[in-house]
């Protein structure tokens, strides 16, 4: 009984602490009655706050592209390293965990000369941030994919497929990938959450994205910027809730 | 295992070499712009006159500007007027950027179509980067006072103002001197436009406070101490003032350039501006053309526009002092009502030299965080 | 005749070079976008201003008063938010672990923790400005009831304020990182303590406590590294003064008042990497100890 009381007291107190800013955001954004109708009206929003509209579109594109680049880079590499280069597994793991030790603010200091070359080849659009974002997402994505690969017997699957005459592309795309679907989805969701919340690199490399646009907006309209922040937060929460439900369901499905 | 160690060492060595060479910039893109005549023209005459310049600029069709907030000295209207007059599309990047951000962008985007064409810089950043400017003398170059331009035409001052104190007369009593701001009536109300170790406008604010408290623009101890006392009294508000905070009443007293405070007055009738007597710190901002501008003719036309009578009067409309004010007054082309509406100043105008600024900055870096942090 | 039959294991018959080729895209990408920037920072920290020659001047400048003070404040902020986050997060995690393992409550709270842990940056700063900013919801409510939270100065934009804002993402991060360790507690240990005549106090101080200590400390270290590296929240909240190192680095790169500091910025970045590397090394050492008992 004491445990239940303890649990609910703690949860209530913490709940109040964590929900209070969200409630405050709702209250603050509704101080100006025009805020929410404007936010939900995309054509009007893009004319009145073009920088915000640009930031939102840039962030959505960056999230999608980073997920794709991350998957294209990590899934084949993780599978390949497991099957053919087991000695390099430690190296790959170390490299994937390195971004945790190199804060984004440090990375961006060193990225300036690299991005001078990226600008030279690909132009200066905000979408080129995808390369930096993939680096940021490596630790989380690699861990998710690696966990997924550990759960299935990649060696046997690959040998069986190769024995039946499949090429490596078929092995990766049609044999292994469908079996690690939930891990891949999990990695993709984590990527999207991270990219939507990223500010440091975009701001210091002078590109635009959602967070940069919100910060800039804060200088001219406090209520709209708070409303956008709240929306972004709620969307991210919905996303991760879906992820946790999908993840749990597939755990219950597999033998 | 030894092969792994050896190959790792080899890779690391290779990567280090790449990093060292990669630190150098990528090759410049050979664009049409860099080889056209406009890229090296040092005056409109060199291109065959103003009409030829206008034609070249129209052919280019675009102008990239950077770090020009629309409510900074009326830049919004100036950009629109230029675009409408010549049919050239103006792309305004990073309106919130600092002068250093402009130089960084020019370096990062060198050779790109999106690189900035022109710069609007504070004096210090301009002085440190003269090698990046293309010399060009506008038609009215001779009317710019001698001390306010580079004799070779690499840069010239364009508009300026004095450091002022703006306040909301509906929320706080009118201060008569800077020292008044230490009174309890201003508790939690006084803001500085930016961090003086980062933004030129805030740095000017500290210099002005120094002048007002018996110091100089070089020895700013009194200015830093003033803000320290302001902080101790609880009057200093560590919030970045913006139109949003001023209108919502969060920052009722703001140290800022007089033209920026004047722009606020237009939006809010209760916002008053005053330049303290005997503490008149003046500063001009500098215009320059990027040597590697992707649209050189448009860049030069922009400069012509900014220094023309029309451009200079648009600065006046924004509450800034145009650099050709004296010459235009004599010629009668100045907008007399706007000129008369500028805040009155009492006392000698002090425009700090680079040497004085450097000494002040050394003191500031070492002591600002201690006083205000 | 001893003949060695060719080994027909999948992949072994191919030359090793071909196998390495498959990993090239990954290694090339990581080299360009992670290794080279890191090396740029390390090499740049020892380069003189203007790109000439090797000089320890910038690294030595780290010992300047105002930079040392910034490191001190960064460490204080990170330590304070880590300790508060660790303690409160551990309590919350324990409350969660007593609930049903796959129940709705635990799933919702874990998902919320996942979001809030990533919820740093600009959105968090604005959330707090809306809550206890100068015209925030709670501020106005308190002022209406006669209490002015800012009577003694505006602390929200300084270290106390930053500590409060940081705990908002530190507590959820602690829940995420510490929950697996709490899950590793076996009910047999409680039963064993009880059967040997111990009570709750004995259980916590002699059994569960020492077993959870490495996990707790490791998680606290992770929180420290997380707070130390954070930039976006402080950048959006603090506009006057650069109290912490990431903001000092931003100033070194973009200040239009104090110029020529790009390499000093790299030196400060190198300092940050050293601090975080030390913390992460301690964390991985503690992790391996944790895995022994609770893995």
């Amino acid at each position: 009984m004491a445990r239940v009381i303890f649990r609910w007291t703690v949860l209530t107190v913490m709940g109040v602490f964590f929900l209070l800013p969200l409630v405050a955001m709702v209250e603050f954004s509704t101080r100006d009655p025009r805020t929410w109708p404007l936010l939900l009206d995309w054509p009007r929003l893009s004319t009145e706050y073009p920088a915000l509209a640009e930031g939102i579109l840039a962030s959505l594109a960056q999230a999608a592209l980073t997920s794709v680049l991350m998957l294209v880079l990590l899934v084949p590499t993780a599978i390949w390293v497991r099957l053919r280069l087991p000695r390099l597994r430690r190296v790959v793991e170390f490299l994937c965990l390195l971004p945790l030790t190199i804060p984004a603010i440090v990375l961006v200091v060193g990225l300036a000369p690299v991005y001078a070359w990226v600008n030279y080849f690909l132009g200066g659009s905000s979408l080129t941030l995808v390369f930096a974002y993939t680096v940021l997402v490596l630790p989380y994505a690699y861990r998710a994919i690696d966990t997924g690969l550990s759960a299935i017997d990649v060696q046997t699957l690959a040998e069986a497929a190769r024995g039946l005459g499949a090429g490596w592309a078929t092995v990766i795309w049609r044999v292994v990938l469908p079996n690690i679907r939930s891990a891949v989805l999990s990695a993709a969701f984590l990527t999207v959450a991270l990219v939507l919340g990223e500010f440091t690199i975009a701001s210091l490399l002078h590109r635009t994205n959602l967070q940069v646009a919100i910060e800039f907006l804060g200088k001219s309209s406090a209520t709209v910027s708070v409303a956008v922040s709240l929306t972004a937060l709620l969307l991210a929460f919905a996303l991760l809730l879906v992820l946790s439900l999908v993840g749990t369901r597939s755990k219950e499905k597999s033998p | 295992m030894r092969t792994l160690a050896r190959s790792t060492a080899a890779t690391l060595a290779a990567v280090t070499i790449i990093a060292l060479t990669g630190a150098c910039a990528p090759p410049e893109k050979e664009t049409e712009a860099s080889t056209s005549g406009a890229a090296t023209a040092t005056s409109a005459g060199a291109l065959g006159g103003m009409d030829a310049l206008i034609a070249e600029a129209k052919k280019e069709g675009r102008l990239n500007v950077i770090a020009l907030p629309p409510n900074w000295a009326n830049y919004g209207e100036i950009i629109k007027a230029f675009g409408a007059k010549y049919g050239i599309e103006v792309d305004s990047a990073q309106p919130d950027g600092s002068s250093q951000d402009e130089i960084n962008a020019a370096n990062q985007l060198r050779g790109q179509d999106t690189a900035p064409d022109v710069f609007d810089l504070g004096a210090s950043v301009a002085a440190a980067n003269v090698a990046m400017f293309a010399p060009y003398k506008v038609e009215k170059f001779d009317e710019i006072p001698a001390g306010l331009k580079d004799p070779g035409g690499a840069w010239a001052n364009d508009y300026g103002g004095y450091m002022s104190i703006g306040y909301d007369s509906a929320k706080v009593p009118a201060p008569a001197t800077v020292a008044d701001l230490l009174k309890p009536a201003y508790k939690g109300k006084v803001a500085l436009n930016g961090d003086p170790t980062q933004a030129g406008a805030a740095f000017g604010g500290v210099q002005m406070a120094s002048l007002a408290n018996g110091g100089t623009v070089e020895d700013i101890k009194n200015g830093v101490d003033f803000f320290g006392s302001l902080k101790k009294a609880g009057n200093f508000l560590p919030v970045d003032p913006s139109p949003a905070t001023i209108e919502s009443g969060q920052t009722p007293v703001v140290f800022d350039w007089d033209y920026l405070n004047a722009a606020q007055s237009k939006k809010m009738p209760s916002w008053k501006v005053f330049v303290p007597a005997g503490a008149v710190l003046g500063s001009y901002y500098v215009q320059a053309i990027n040597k590697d501008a992707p649209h050189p003719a448009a860049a030069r036309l922009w400069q012509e526009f900014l220094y023309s009578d029309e451009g200079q009067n648009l600065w006046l409309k924004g509450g800034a002092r145009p650099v050709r004010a004296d010459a235009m007054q004599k010629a009668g082309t100045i907008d007399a009502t706007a000129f008369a509406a500028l805040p009155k100043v009492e006392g000698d105008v002090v425009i700090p030299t680079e040497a004085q600024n450097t000494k002040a900055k050394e003191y500031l870096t070492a002591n600002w965080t201690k006083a205000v942090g | 005749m001893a003949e060695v039959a060719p080994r027909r294991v999948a992949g072994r018959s191919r030359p090793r070079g071909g196998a390495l080729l498959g990993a090239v895209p990954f290694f090339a990408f990581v080299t360009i976008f992670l290794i080279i920037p890191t090396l740029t920072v390390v090499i740049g920290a020892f380069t003189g201003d203007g790109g000439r020659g090797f000089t320890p001047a910038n690294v030595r400048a780290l010992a300047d008063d105002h930079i040392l003070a910034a490191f001190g404040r960064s460490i204080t902020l990170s330590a304070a938010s880590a300790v508060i986050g660790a303690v409160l997060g551990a309590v919350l995690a324990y409350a969660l672990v007593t609930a049903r393992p796959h129940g709705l409550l635990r799933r919702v709270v874990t998902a919320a923790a996942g979001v809030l842990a990533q919820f740093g940056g600009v959105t968090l700063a604005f959330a707090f400005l809306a809550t206890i900013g100068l015209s925030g919801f709670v501020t106005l409510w308190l002022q209406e009831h006669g209490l002015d939270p800012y009577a003694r100065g505006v602390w929200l934009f300084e270290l106390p304020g930053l500590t409060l804002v940081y705990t908002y993402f530190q507590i959820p991060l602690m829940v995420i990182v510490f929950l697996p360790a709490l899950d590793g507690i076996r009910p047999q240990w409680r039963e064993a303590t009880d059967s040997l005549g111990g009570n709750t106090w004995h259980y916590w101080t002699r059994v569960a406590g020492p077993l959870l200590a490495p996990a707790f400390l490791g998680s606290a270290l992770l929180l420290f590294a997380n707070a130390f590296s954070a930039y976006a929240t402080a950048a959006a909240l603090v506009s006057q003064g650069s109290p912490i190192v990431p903001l000092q680095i931003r100033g070194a790169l973009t200040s239009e008042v104090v110029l020529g500091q790009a390499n000093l910025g790299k030196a400060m970045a190198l300092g940050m990497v050293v601090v975080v590397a030390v913390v992460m090394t301690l964390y991985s050492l503690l992790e391996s100890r944790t895995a022994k008992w609770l893995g």
Side-chain angles (χ1 to χ4, degrees):
Chain A
M1 193 60 208
R3 264 213 192 154
V4 179
I5 299 176
F6 169 74
R7 187 192 324 152
W8 285 104
T9 322
V10 169
L11 285 172
T12 317
V13 171
M14 294 286 191
V16 167
F17 175 64
F18 283 103
L19 286 176
L20 194 59
L22 300 177
V23 168
M25 280 168 94
V26 173
E27 191 271 332
F28 194 91
S29 58
T30 48
R31 279 186 201 173
D32 184 347
R34 296 166 299 169
T35 311
W36 284 104
L38 175 64
L39 198 60
L40 299 171
D41 182 357
W42 180 261
R44 243 199 332 146
L45 188 67
S46 11
T47 20
E48 261 197 64
Y49 295 112
L52 177 64
E54 213 187 305
I56 293 177
L57 292 174
S59 261
L60 291 174
Q62 286 162 357
L65 287 174
T66 311
S67 307
V68 169
L69 181 60
M70 176 272 296
L71 290 174
V72 163
L73 199 64
L74 275 185
V75 174
T77 308
I79 298 175
W80 192 258
V81 161
R82 241 170 217 269
L83 293 179
R84 303 278 250 101
L85 300 165
R87 266 192 255 162
L88 281 185
R89 219 177 125 190
R90 276 291 196 82
V91 177
V92 172
E93 232 174 78
F94 173 72
L95 285 176
C96 284
L97 290 180
L98 204 54
L100 283 179
T101 316
I102 301 183
I105 178 79
V106 170
L107 193 65
V108 79
V109 171
L111 272 177
V114 175
Y115 263 83
W117 283 91
V118 173
N119 292 338
Y120 177 73
F121 286 116
L122 297 172
S125 111
S126 295
L127 296 181
T128 53
L129 284 177
V130 167
F131 301 115
Y133 286 173
T134 310
V135 168
L136 285 184
V137 110
L138 277 182
Y140 311 98
Y142 184 75
R143 197 187 300 179
I145 294 177
D146 201 47
T147 315
L149 285 176
S150 303
I152 64 173
D153 188 356
V154 192
Q155 184 89 354
T156 315
L157 278 173
E159 280 182 23
R162 298 273 295 153
L164 288 167
W168 280 110
T170 318
V171 171
I172 292 179
W173 179 253
R174 291 181 63 191
V175 178
V176 179
L177 199 60
N179 282 294
I180 53 169
R181 215 192 340 233
S182 76
V184 162
L185 237 94
S186 156
F189 276 152
L190 287 170
T191 305
V192 172
L194 191 141
V195 170
L196 288 181
E198 210 283 326
F199 172 78
T200 311
I201 296 190
S203 157
L204 288 170
L205 285 181
H206 304 301
R207 310 291 216 272
T208 184
N209 78 2
L210 177 65
Q211 303 283 336
V212 171
I214 293 180
E215 201 232 356
F216 181 61
L217 190 60
K219 304 217 169 102
S220 47
S221 168
T223 47
V224 179
S225 56
V226 169
V228 179
S229 305
L230 183 61
T231 316
L233 176 67
L234 291 176
L235 282 178
F237 177 65
L239 201 66
L240 279 181
L241 196 58
V242 168
L243 159 70
S244 89
L245 289 175
V246 165
T248 331
R249 212 177 315 134
S250 24
K251 266 193 228 139
E252 287 163 14
K253 262 195 353 205
S254 43
Chain B
M1 211 48 220
R2 258 194 29 231
T3 19
L4 187 64
R6 226 188 295 152
S7 46
T8 320
T11 324
L12 207 61
V15 166
T16 320
I17 297 173
I18 297 173
L20 287 169
T21 50
C24 65
E28 269 189 44
K29 266 207 177 103
E30 184 71 41
T31 58
E32 218 183 278
S34 57
T35 45
S36 75
T40 46
T42 51
S43 72
L47 274 176
M50 270 300 284
D51 293 323
L53 176 63
I54 296 176
E56 260 311 304
K58 281 199 177 146
K59 246 201 291 177
E60 284 173 359
R62 260 186 97 81
L63 179 73
N64 295 333
V65 296
I66 184 171
L68 304 182
N71 49 17
W72 181 285
N74 207 16
Y75 255 121
E77 204 180 319
I78 292 175
I79 292 175
K80 264 204 231 62
F82 178 78
K85 182 166 182 183
Y86 297 111
I88 295 177
E89 199 186 319
V90 180
D91 185 43
S92 179
Q94 285 187 57
D96 230 15
S98 69
S99 305
Q100 186 60 40
D101 288 331
E102 299 182 39
I103 302 289
N104 290 346
N107 282 326
Q108 272 270 313
L109 297 172
R110 184 169 302 137
Q112 295 285 313
D113 209 27
T114 43
D117 287 309
V118 287
F119 301 120
D120 172 335
L121 306 167
S124 313
V125 178
N129 292 287
V130 182
M132 289 184 66
F133 308 151
Y136 181 79
K137 295 190 184 169
V138 292
E139 280 193 326
K140 314 270 188 196
F141 192 74
D142 302 320
E143 289 183 18
I144 303 174
L148 299 175
K149 64 190 176 191
D150 171 58
W155 53 266
N157 289 350
D158 194 5
Y159 65 92
Y162 305 125
M163 183 49 62
S164 67
I165 297 175
Y167 60 96
D168 190 347
S169 53
K171 289 205 168 64
V172 294
T177 64
V178 171
D180 275 353
L181 294 175
L182 288 167
K183 297 203 182 113
Y186 298 95
K187 197 148 200 263
K189 297 195 159 73
V190 184
L192 186 57
N193 186 9
D195 182 329
T197 56
Q198 292 186 33
F203 180 62
V206 178
Q207 284 180 313
M208 183 267 261
S210 165
L211 287 177
N213 285 289
T216 65
V217 289
E218 204 172 329
D219 175 14
I220 56 170
K221 180 171 182 322
N222 294 8
V224 176
D225 287 345
F226 169 76
F227 280 100
S229 329
L230 211 60
K231 173 100 204 297
K232 262 203 224 61
N235 293 9
F236 185 61
L237 192 60
V239 172
D240 214 11
S242 66
T245 62
I246 291 178
E247 276 155 41
S248 69
Q250 257 189 20
T251 52
V253 182
V254 176
F255 275 77
D256 207 351
W257 297 121
D258 56 356
Y259 45 88
L260 297 179
N261 276 325
Q264 201 54 45
S265 288
K266 288 212 189 81
K267 283 197 261 179
M268 223 165 96
S270 57
W271 190 259
K272 306 264 182 290
V273 184
F274 96 101
V275 180
V280 188
L281 179 87
S283 171
Y284 280 92
Y285 275 86
V286 164
Q287 301 284 354
I289 300 178
N290 185 359
K291 201 169 44 140
D292 304 307
H295 312 100
R300 285 158 174 76
L301 186 59
W302 169 258
Q303 301 290 60
E304 294 286 356
F305 180 70
L306 291 181
Y307 287 94
S308 68
D309 290 341
E310 185 183 349
Q312 299 277 293
N313 277 326
L314 282 173
W315 295 128
L316 259 185
K317 240 178 118 182
R321 275 151 226 282
V323 74
R324 285 178 49 227
D326 289 336
M328 280 166 71
Q329 260 192 313
K330 283 200 203 93
T333 45
I334 201 162
D335 182 343
T337 24
F339 196 61
L342 293 174
K344 303 283 165 275
V345 287
E346 294 170 46
D348 294 324
V349 178
V350 181
I351 298 186
T353 63
E354 266 322 288
Q356 291 173 316
N357 277 339
T358 315
K359 287 205 71 184
K361 283 173 199 177
E362 277 169 22
Y363 184 83
L364 186 77
T365 329
N367 294 286
W368 178 253
T369 330
K370 259 189 271 182
V372 160
Chain C
M1 254 202 321
E3 252 192 61
V4 181
R7 289 193 278 174
R8 291 322 236 112
V9 182
R12 253 356 133 74
S13 45
R14 285 258 191 99
R16 195 147 161 251
L20 268 180
L21 219 57
V24 161
F26 174 78
F27 282 109
F29 181 83
V30 169
T31 306
I32 299 175
F33 290 101
L34 180 59
I35 306 294
I36 289 188
T38 314
L39 286 175
T40 308
V41 168
V42 172
I43 295 174
F46 290 100
T47 311
D49 289 319
R52 280 178 300 276
F54 175 89
T55 158
N58 282 315
V59 177
R60 233 185 266 142
L62 289 181
D64 278 353
D65 268 347
H66 64 277
I67 297 184
L68 222 51
F71 269 96
R73 276 189 295 261
S74 258
I75 292 177
T76 313
L77 170 66
S78 310
S81 66
V83 166
I84 298 175
V87 169
L88 294 179
V91 169
L92 180 57
Y94 184 66
L96 268 190
V97 102
T98 60
R100 261 196 356 229
H102 284 298
L104 187 65
L105 174 71
R106 182 155 159 175
R107 251 195 269 152
V108 168
V109 177
T110 317
V115 174
L116 293 174
Q118 289 282 10
F119 177 39
V122 179
T123 29
L124 181 64
F126 280 28
F128 267 82
L129 284 176
T131 316
I132 53 166
L134 291 164
S135 42
F137 177 59
V138 174
T139 317
L140 293 178
W141 186 86
L142 286 173
Q143 281 170 349
E144 272 167 38
H145 289 78
L147 296 161
D148 186 5
Y150 296 119
R152 282 209 240 118
V154 186
W155 47 266
L156 180 63
F157 306 109
E158 291 156 28
L159 238 51
L162 279 178
T163 313
L164 174 65
V165 178
Y166 275 26
T167 53
Y168 199 82
F169 60 76
Q170 294 284 60
I171 295 177
L173 185 63
M174 183 66 176
V175 170
I176 295 176
V177 177
F178 194 53
L179 206 52
L182 281 179
D183 272 340
I185 298 181
R186 316 228 176 86
Q188 290 90 333
W189 301 343
R190 189 67 203 254
E191 290 165 16
T193 322
D194 285 340
S195 70
L196 285 169
N199 56 21
T200 312
W201 176 253
H202 287 127
Y203 173 66
W204 279 110
T205 49
R206 308 270 187 88
V207 181
L211 283 169
L212 285 174
F216 180 79
L217 282 172
S219 309
L221 283 175
L222 196 64
L223 259 59
F224 179 91
N226 189 38
F228 192 76
S229 321
Y231 165 78
T233 317
L237 202 59
V238 177
S239 46
Q240 193 55 253
S242 306
I244 55 175
V245 181
L247 294 181
Q248 289 268 352
I249 295 180
R250 171 187 65 175
L253 296 178
T254 61
S255 167
E256 58 180 9
V257 172
V258 191
L259 306 176
Q261 299 236 300
N263 286 329
L264 179 61
K266 295 199 179 101
M268 288 194 275
L270 182 61
M272 278 187 77
V273 172
V274 167
V275 173
V276 178
V278 165
V279 171
M280 293 302 279
T281 317
L282 289 173
Y283 169 72
S284 55
L285 287 174
L286 284 169
E287 263 291 278
S288 47
R289 278 197 64 181
T290 310
K292 252 200 289 177
W293 284 100
L294 298 165

